[in-house]
Amino acid sequence: MKNCNLIIAGVGGQGVILAGNVIGEAAMSSGYDIKKTDTIGMAQRGGNVISHLRIAQKIYSPIIVEGEADIVMSFEKMEAARCSNFLKSDGIVILNNRAIPPLSVSRGVEHYPTDEEIISILKQKADKIYFVEGTKKAEELGNARTLNIFMLGCLSCFLDIEDSVWRECIIKSLPSRIVGVNIAAFEQGIEAIKI
Amino acid sequence: MSVNKKLLSGNEAIALGAYHAGIKIAAAYPGTPSTEILENLSQFKDIYAEWSTNEKVAMEVGVGASYAGARTLVAMKHVGLNVAADPFMAVAITGVNAGLVVVTADDPGALSSQNEQDNRHFAKLAKIPMLEPSDSQEAYEMMITAFDISEQFDTPVLFRTTTRVSHSKAVVELGDKKETPGVKGVFKHNFQKYIMLPANARFRRPLVEERVKNLASYSETSSFNRIFKGDDKLGIISSGMAYQYAREVFPGASFLKLGFTYPMPENLIRKFALKVKKLVVIEELDPFIEEYVRSLCIEVTGKEFISIIGELTQDIIKKGSYSIGILAENEVKKTEYTAPKLPGRLPLLCPGCPHTGTFYTLSNLGQRSVLPGEKPREPKLIITGDIGCYTLGALPPLSAIDTCGCMGASIGNAIGMQKAGVDEKLIAVIGDSTFLHSGITGLIDAVYNKAKITLIILDNKTTAMTGHQEHPGTGKTAQGEETVAVSLESIVRAIGVKNIQLVSAWDIKALKNSVKTSIDSGELSVIIVSGACAVDLRRGVDPGIIDVNKCTACGLCLALGCPAIQKDGDMIIIDGSLCVGDNCRLCRQICPNKAISPDGARQSERISEEL
Ligand SMILES: Cc1ncc(C[n+]2csc(CCOP(=O)(O)OP(=O)(O)O)c2C)c(N)n1
């Protein structure tokens, strides 16, 4: 695999950290060096979360420098825009079509960016933007919390990690009673990109 | 033989390293970024792991265990070592019996702390050895070595990590667990070693200096202090996470990587300095290494181009390096890209937080909240605060905390202000874990010195801020055993407080009455507000819904600062996926138009904790 610098963004409670851990396990099982670090605000819940993942033969720093991310994958629309600074000029964005307005927006103090605004911010840097309906699909599966594994399905289309390794790592990371629905979400994620 | 590899955070690696080194005892008080160390250790059922009441107690438990022959780990965040400094300095003199390792997890950039401090100075202050890992692999290996050093040199070892090391995951190659036969703890009486009467302390004093000398020679040969040969034009001395960043910025340079950073290896540093044309130190926070190198009369630079403040990044190193001419201009990113301005996500009390009602009450009585279209009023009351989730009560729209310095300070601060003669009524606000950690002595002072203040103890039955650890008031130990739940009320009563009120966190009227009668009583009073932390309450309840026919959009409910109550154009709505419904009901109590009721029709999908 070529080296990959991956940013995962989202809001506390969306499962960003777990998703990053599964990717880390999958990359390690595939023989790569991997370092991962999360930046989480002081907020217990509802703050933004950014995970940095670096996959290569040998890694020193876990942090991705601005302009060095191959992929930004965001579980929330505006958070993708917030991470645009990390993108390489030929970077890829995978974006869950879901808005979670912060309090300043729901209080009517600030304005939540429109889809056009978000796309225009990302277009300054990104080569390709994939809009996916992760939350919708997860809800249709009957468990909104499978969003993170759906997003892993999307991501798996861009990384050189065997399908069987992904599945193994997902199964290892989740309680057995919810493995089935999460595997279904993973498969839907793959489909969302392949279509 | 296949290698056993695991993806571990620094804290997981620290815990596993200690376990593999054969520890029998671990003691800690929670605090970001150190908390996961004891959380991980508490999973091992063949060792004893405790959440101590505070860091000082954790240190004392650790010292006792070490004296009795058990390898012991003590862990805390950087400011925890301030609290534990007294027993820490004491054990530095007595030395140990079985290995004792003290982890200090520093927080450069104060990402989740009240301050930034470089605890490497503590090693020098206490004259004890220090190890500084730069990733999870080193954290694991150094921890095992740390116990050997501790026993070989009869000294506690300071193990210094930072947020970025503790919380980053990396691949770790694991060794085997050291087999520790289940020997019983034994204390060997030793008058001169363990009893620091002045005469004995003076006797041990030269031994400490001797120890530093021996450790300095050990430092010269430690495998954690290593030269990586590169181009001799530039030599970089670095430690901790800064080393990882520097390696990326200067892939071709020569490096002296220090992992055993006190005492420092003088000869190794001299040797390295002679080999390179220009010598720089790249380190996070204080010029700890740089000042030592300079004290050897070696020409060196460091803080001249690397900020002394905050967490380092590769970008900071690059820009600084360019400014002193050791990095070419084309290596430094031009920032032609300006980041978009987007609405931020401020930290907030959660929907259904039991602290909300108290701060709403204080905000009203203290004239802090401002309704839409109204002007701010002159604030009333002085509300001294403490550290925990409830510190967020300082933020708008509640704005009902006036001071916050360190754990336990609220009570003493209020006493001081009252004695200084302020006119305003004084209220101190403190959480249950914080009260047990370091509030009790303050309250004793208030009783003893006849302070006329009101103390509000916010009893949410957990240590919420750091991720819901047990504490002496919860009735459960770190390893999940049932135990006595220390009663806050009994403590307050036993100290001698006469005016005590017990109030539910969900009853706005009772909260208001209790605060009013307490501050008007003119005597020392304590209110214990009880209500369980909302994070466990999110499922299976009917969220509130606002009746559009009754709501006049007056905005009073917005003054609660509840994230579930939101503005949608001119209307106010409740986000059913966030509201905890019947577990809270605060907004229903304050709505003047009785427009809010439970939405029986909806069993909504909830955003809840991470898996
Ligand atoms: C000396 C010290 N140790 C630990 C911490 C980390 N810390 C901050 S608040 C807190 C405890 C908060 O618990 P509690 O008082 O019960 O309030 P809650 O968060 O539950 O509202 C801890 C452990 C600190 N800031 N200072």
Side-chain angles (χ1 to χ4, degrees), chain A residues 44, chain B residues 29-32 34-35 54-55 76-84 112-114 349 353-355 386-391 405-407 430-438 458-469 471 533:
Chain A
Q44 286 271 303
Chain B
Y29 182 75
T32 315
S34 71
T35 310
N54 64 28
E55 293 87 350
M76 58 201 62
K77 71 181 288 169
H78 61 322
V79 287
L81 196 49
N82 301 340
V83 175
S112 37
S113 307
Q114 65 264 38
L349 293 176
C353 175
H355 302 328
D386 233 295
I387 304 196
C389 283
Y390 51 93
T391 312
C406 65
M407 284 185 79
I430 197 168
D432 50 345
S433 182
T434 305
F435 178 70
L436 294 164
H437 174 281
S438 50
L458 299 163
D459 185 9
N460 63 352
K461 309 278 189 294
T462 186
T463 320
M465 177 103 249
T466 43
H468 303 96
Q469 291 75 32
H471 66 62
C533 176

